[in-house]
Amino acid sequence: MSKSLVKAIKILDCFTVNPEMTINELAETANMPKTTVFRLASSLEEAGLLVKERKSSHEVTYRMGLKLLTFGKHVSEQLKYNKVALPHMKKLNEEVDELVHITVLEGNEAVYAETIDSSKPVRLVVKVGRRAPLYAGSAPKLLLSSMADEKIEAYLDEVELTKLTDNTLDNKERLKEEIQKIREKGYSISHSEHFKDTVGFSYPIYNHQKKMVAALGVSIPVLDYSEEKGKVILDKLEDTAKRIWDELGYTV
């Protein structure tokens, strides 16, 4: 992380002590030179994270901008999805004894926001916070399918489809066809696209605004896969996802 960014965050932290401060007060609280604080405060103001208010010809104060409230709202909502989903994830994990995960869209990547491991000796382990490209794996592809077509086109123009395994889709037209199939089916399956020798299944999580906010998934070692087991997992995933939808206020 750059030193300037760390210092800017330190300035934002000052507003947890006092909601409104002058440059002199910020410099004292942050223990930084006044010129540095002024430069960083100006940048934060330009970004909408701080608001400058002129009290008089001699006094100017800063306070947090509403943009931070927007960030906080998104973080709060994401945590809410996790809180609602977690007991249902635990029940699903007990039923199938496989890796269960919730994945969310962040920028042009999928992020594993919650995972519950299998108890089996041979199992896939994915740590919370791990990132994945949107073109590989059941959950990332499902999140990609939720984006508007123009955003998908923009993403495909920017990204280089790199082979992570032999099965990773590295052809943009084939990926578009896969996205269309996912939209038609309402769920996503992958065979060793992101992680080698695994099969992944994912169902969408919708909120009360009918927006896909996360992907609920189960991933299993390919050695444990059969068509019959795949159908059982998909049925249980669908039931679990629908129970989470109900709690989030989504109605079909």
Side-chain angles (χ1 to χ4, degrees):
M1 188 181 293
S2 75
K3 291 182 179 179
S4 292
L5 180 56
V6 171
K7 289 178 180 177
I9 293 171
K10 190 174 180 180
I11 286 176
L12 290 175
D13 285 340
C14 292
F15 291 94
T16 62
V17 177
N18 189 340
E20 193 169 6
M21 306 179 79
T22 64
I23 290 294
N24 287 337
E25 290 168 337
L26 277 171
E28 184 179 349
T29 306
N31 194 25
M32 292 183 204
K34 196 162 82 169
T35 52
T36 301
V37 171
F38 179 78
R39 174 174 54 82
L40 292 172
S42 297
S43 297
L44 291 167
E45 180 197 1
E46 186 178 346
L49 301 178
L50 288 182
V51 174
K52 181 169 71 174
E53 187 173 344
R54 184 170 293 279
K55 300 286 187 178
S56 68
S57 58
H58 301 293
E59 185 183 9
V60 174
T61 61
Y62 290 83
R63 55 183 169 80
M64 285 186 170
L66 290 177
K67 195 169 188 178
L68 286 165
L69 186 63
T70 303
F71 291 154
K73 180 174 178 289
H74 286 303
V75 172
S76 176
E77 286 181 353
Q78 183 171 310
L79 291 173
K80 182 177 71 176
Y81 308 147
N82 289 7
K83 185 176 180 180
V84 169
L86 191 56
H88 298 287
M89 292 173 67
K90 287 178 178 177
K91 184 173 185 296
L92 178 60
N93 172 261
E94 290 169 1
E95 291 175 350
V96 300
D97 196 17
E98 302 288 359
L99 173 68
V100 178
H101 46 80
I102 280 254
T103 312
V104 297
L105 184 66
E106 188 171 282
N108 283 338
E109 292 180 304
V111 181
Y112 289 85
E114 197 75 64
T115 63
I116 303 177
D117 295 338
S118 164
S119 65
K120 295 179 179 178
V122 179
R123 63 189 188 273
L124 175 65
V125 177
V126 180
K127 292 184 178 180
V128 170
R130 176 158 184 159
R131 294 172 177 270
L134 295 176
Y135 57 84
S138 66
K141 288 189 302 181
L142 183 62
L143 293 170
L144 181 61
S145 75
S146 73
M147 294 166 60
D149 288 342
E150 58 269 22
K151 287 191 175 182
I152 293 175
E153 289 292 343
Y155 169 74
L156 293 178
D157 286 341
E158 293 176 9
V159 72
E160 180 181 350
L161 303 184
T162 304
K163 280 277 191 184
L164 304 175
T165 70
D166 290 340
N167 289 352
T168 305
L169 289 172
D170 61 351
N171 180 283
K172 293 184 179 181
E173 291 307 315
R174 284 186 59 202
L175 181 58
K176 288 180 187 177
E177 292 173 4
E178 178 73 2
I179 289 168
Q180 187 56 40
K181 289 178 183 177
I182 290 170
R183 287 173 171 175
E184 291 170 359
K185 293 187 297 184
Y187 59 86
S188 176
I189 300 176
S190 70
H191 293 266
S192 303
E193 294 177 5
H194 184 212
F195 299 106
K196 191 177 178 182
D197 299 327
T198 63
V199 182
F201 311 83
S202 292
Y203 253 86
I205 298 299
Y206 295 109
N207 67 4
H208 65 286
Q209 296 174 321
K210 303 185 186 298
K211 177 185 176 184
M212 190 190 302
V213 293
L216 174 69
V218 172
S219 297
I220 69 173
V222 72
L223 291 174
D224 290 343
Y225 174 74
S226 67
E227 285 191 17
E228 182 180 356
K229 179 162 186 175
K231 186 178 184 309
V232 169
I233 288 174
L234 280 173
D235 287 345
K236 289 185 178 296
L237 254 179
E238 182 179 13
D239 289 343
T240 304
K242 286 181 175 178
R243 287 197 294 272
I244 297 171
W245 296 355
D246 287 343
E247 287 199 41
L248 291 177
Y250 171 73
T251 54
V252 181

